[in-house]
Structures are given as structure tokens and as C-alpha cells.
Amino acid sequence: MLTIRRKLWSLSAYRAIQLSNEDTETLPDIDYDLVNRRSASWTEEERQSFERSRAFEEAHPPGSLSYELTTEQGALIREKGVAAWEFEASSEVNVIVQDRTEVAFYGGEHCVQTNLPLPRREAVYYFEVKMFEKPESTSVGVGVATKPFPSWRFPGRNRHSVGYHSNGRKYCNDPLKGKSYGIPFHEGDVIGCGYRPQSGTIFFTRNGVRLGNAVAGVHLNIFPTIAANGPCNLQVNFGQLGFVFIEANVKKWGLAPPIGILSPPPAYGVERDSVLLQSGSSLTEEQLISFRMSLSNLDARKSHYRHADGNDVFIGQGSSLGSQRDLLSLITYDSDDESESTHVSIDIPAEHPDASSTTIITQPPAYTEMEYPLVDTEQLVDITVPNENPSD
């Protein structure tokens, strides 16, 4: 029985693929009178969701805000490539987004949209959504929608939105039952959505097979939108990886190049030709090694130097590499004999912040016994014992 059902769905999918562009319907408007007449069979939950969505549209009309790509967003796309797109989950939805494109739904009917709309410069833009974890009891919708969009509605069930749902039906500004379009999708399936800006055509794919045009005449700033009414995990591919739909790979239909022009940070351990090191010191490696060896041979791992004015100066062995380089430029050795005590003169420049002060090592003061005055304790404490027998 299951095999026969799948064959019937396959036949309907092939009929959808044979649709030409002339047969594609344009994006219709919502006939609210028709919706009210057919909403008698709705559940109370469906009715409340629809009424809330109408109130949301009245407060936030679709297309009331301009979402054209700004100059800053264009620069971000050039720098980061396809990594500029990411899904945004508000605090109103029970959804967690990880690594920009991994979306986890945890119950309830919610939807999420990307931060940037689909561009309209190239001929086609395309993205795919993999049903990584999807229980059969969870319905999923993949599509596009304008902003602002109610966070509890599936794409296609509100104005200015189009969606392909897991029941195998398409919804184009249709809050009712939708129309037959393709095959129901399940866990492991990959659903793709393509957009042709010139004609405003939107089409979908399932596991690399094109299902035909869903609607035409969508000349709006639309955002990739996914929704679910239960727990599931979805993974979205904007072009950072290879598509299951081969034509999209060959013609490079991703939202942007996989890699932008933003140069990666320098690798760890690269010190040569560093501006910071060059500005700190111009020592050669041989001079640095010689200086570090001379420090390691000093007694008690401390260097004892005598300043030009006769004061003793101690420099700790634990100083950093940069500070050792700076000290070397100020040090002049008086003797090369390492067996004897090493005496070094340090000339501190006048502009040095500590030029007027030197570190003088002095002995701490010796402890002395404190003399305390004698106090008569009998004057401080009454040592007389009271009479316990009041009759006496």
C-alpha cells in the first residue's frame, strides 16, 4: 500500500515538472471573504492563529519597511561571501540557531528568517534545507517571505509569502489548504528553493529533482524562511557546500561566493616582518641569543648591575622577551669574564619615564622590642568578692 502511494505521488510530481512558465500562476492576493466562508471547519487553534496573523498584518503591513540591501550590507557580503547570511531567532520563538545555518525547533509553531534578503542581481538564487531530524508528527515548511512576518506562521500562509510544506502541498498567499504540488518530504530529504528575480518565479526541488515553478510575479524583497510545528533539526545550505541539485552547482546559484575577499588572520608563530616586533627592537637573532645566555649564567637567576651613578640595580630573570630586548639596548658590559661577577652599566635615556629614579636595594629595618608602660590591674578591675549572705 505504501509503495502504491509513493508511485501516485511520483506521478503528481512529474506532472508538476512538466508545467511551463506560461502555466505558472502569479502570486495572488488573499481573498478574506472566501477564507471566512471556508474557515468553518477550522479548529479553534487554527482560527486564533489566523486572527492573530490578520491583526499582525494590520499593525505591520507587508512591505511597509524597506529591506533593500544597503551599502554596508553589500560590503559585508563582499567581505564574508555566503557567510554573511544567517538565521535570526527572536526571543518569541522556541528555536535555537547554531553556526548561522543549523536551526533546531523545540515545539510549538514557529518560523525563522535570515538577516539578509535574497539578492536580485544574478539570474537565479538558490538554497537547500536538509531534514536532519524530523519526526513524522512534525510538519515543516520551506519557502520565502517578506518582512515583517509573524513568527508563528508557515511561509505561504500569510500575505507576500510562498512555501512548500511537508504534506506535499504549496502555499502562495494561501491561509487555507494549499494546492497539490509535489511529494511529501520526510527525515533525510533535502528541499531546495530557487528564485528568478527577473520574472519573480519561485520553484522548489526535492532530493535534487526539480518540482516545477510554484508561482511567478514575486517582485519583492524576500527572505529565506523555514517553519515547523514540532521538534526537528534542519540544516540550511546557502552555497557554502555543494548542492544536491546538480544544475545549481554547475551554474553556481548560491547566494554569494563561498569565500569573500576578507583576508584570514595571520597564522600563530609568525614573527618575522612583524610591525610590532620591528618597532620594539631592531636586534638580530644572534644578539638576542647572546643576551639570553648571559642572563642564564648569572648567580641566583638574577642580574646585578651597577648604574652609572653608583647605585645597585637588580633586574629579574623572569622578564619578558620584549623587555629583555629593550634592556639589551641600554646595557654595556664592563667585563667578558663570566667566572667573575658581571658588572654592567645601564644608561637610561632622559625621556624615559623612570629616568629620575633608580631602584636602590636597601636592607629592611630590624625588629625592635616595643616598651609598654606598666599598668596597675587592681585599678582597672574590682577584685572584691560580694557577700552572698545578705543577712550578714
Side-chain angles (χ1 to χ4, degrees), residues 26 55 60 74 124 127 136 139 204 215 237 239 280 342 369 385:
T26 57
H60 310 280
V124 183
F127 66 94
E136 290 297 328
S139 297
F204 293 93
V215 70
N237 181 13
T342 305
E369 295 183 357
V385 179

Side-chain angles (χ1 to χ4, degrees), residues 52-53 56-57 110-111 113 146 148-154 158:
R52 288 175 58 199
S53 66
F56 183 89
E57 288 184 4
H110 303 288
C111 80
Q113 296 180 284
T146 58
F149 191 80
S151 60
W152 63 91
R153 297 289 282 179
F154 273 51
N158 257 56

Side-chain angles (χ1 to χ4, degrees), residues 295-327:
L295 291 178
S296 62
N297 293 329
L298 298 180
D299 295 336
R301 298 191 65 81
K302 288 187 177 180
S303 302
H304 174 264
Y305 303 107
R306 184 170 300 280
H307 194 267
D309 59 2
N311 294 323
D312 292 335
V313 180
F314 282 89
I315 300 176
Q317 177 67 11
S319 57
S320 63
L321 185 60
S323 61
Q324 292 176 5
R325 290 180 174 179
D326 295 336
L327 287 174

Side-chain angles (χ1 to χ4, degrees), residues 318-344:
S319 57
S320 63
L321 185 60
S323 61
Q324 292 176 5
R325 290 180 174 179
D326 295 336
L327 287 174
L328 183 57
S329 62
L330 304 176
I331 294 174
T332 303
Y333 288 91
D334 293 338
S335 174
D336 295 334
D337 187 3
E338 297 181 357
S339 62
E340 300 178 0
S341 61
T342 305
H343 298 283
V344 183

Side-chain angles (χ1 to χ4, degrees), residues 96-117:
I96 294 179
V97 178
Q98 296 180 345
D99 296 333
R100 301 182 303 104
T101 58
E102 296 182 7
V103 185
F105 293 84
Y106 290 95
E109 187 169 336
H110 303 288
C111 80
V112 291
Q113 296 180 284
T114 56
N115 58 332
L116 300 176

Side-chain angles (χ1 to χ4, degrees), residues 14-235:
Y14 288 130
R15 286 197 297 267
I17 295 173
Q18 294 174 356
L19 290 175
S20 62
N21 292 334
E22 290 77 9
D23 297 331
T24 304
E25 64 174 339
T26 57
L27 186 65
D29 198 3
I30 298 178
D31 187 353
Y32 287 107
D33 294 334
L34 177 63
V35 173
N36 291 330
R37 290 194 301 268
R38 296 185 177 180
S39 61
S41 60
W42 286 358
T43 64
E44 185 62 25
E45 184 178 358
E46 291 176 337
R47 186 183 301 277
Q48 291 181 0
S49 177
F50 173 71
E51 292 177 355
R52 288 175 58 199
S53 66
R54 286 205 64 181
F56 183 89
E57 288 184 4
E58 293 177 359
H60 310 280
S64 59
L65 300 178
S66 177
Y67 285 97
E68 294 284 348
L69 284 174
T70 63
T71 305
E72 293 77 8
Q73 291 173 339
L76 178 66
I77 295 174
R78 289 191 296 271
E79 291 179 0
K80 301 180 66 175
V82 75
W85 274 266
E86 60 180 329
F87 279 97
E88 297 177 328
S90 65
S91 59
E92 301 175 354
V93 299
N94 192 15
V95 181
I96 294 179
V97 178
Q98 296 180 345
D99 296 333
R100 301 182 303 104
T101 58
E102 296 182 7
V103 185
F105 293 84
Y106 290 95
E109 187 169 336
H110 303 288
C111 80
V112 291
Q113 296 180 284
T114 56
N115 58 332
L116 300 176
L118 294 178
R120 291 190 285 178
R121 299 182 60 181
E122 302 296 335
V124 183
Y125 291 95
Y126 179 82
F127 66 94
E128 289 181 343
V129 182
K130 181 177 181 179
M131 307 295 118
F132 190 73
E133 293 180 0
K134 179 192 170 302
E136 290 297 328
S137 58
T138 299
S139 297
V140 176
V142 177
V144 293
T146 58
K147 283 187 177 182
F149 191 80
S151 60
W152 63 91
R153 297 289 282 179
F154 273 51
R157 304 204 67 181
N158 257 56
R159 183 174 289 172
H160 294 181
S161 64
V162 179
Y164 172 34
H165 297 187
S166 57
N167 59 1
R169 304 180 71 85
K170 68 175 182 179
Y171 295 78
C172 307
N173 286 0
D174 188 353
L176 297 173
K177 299 298 183 180
K179 296 181 180 180
S180 178
Y181 179 67
I183 305 175
F185 52 85
H186 311 278
E187 181 176 312
D189 290 337
V190 177
I191 305 302
C193 179
Y195 175 55
R196 299 181 181 272
Q198 184 175 1
S199 61
T201 302
I202 295 175
F203 65 90
F204 293 93
T205 65
R206 177 182 180 275
N207 295 336
V209 178
R210 184 167 176 169
L211 301 178
N213 297 332
V215 70
V218 183
H219 300 286
L220 304 166
N221 291 321
I222 52 179
F223 296 75
T225 306
I226 55 177
N229 65 356
C232 62
N233 290 329
L234 310 179
Q235 296 181 350

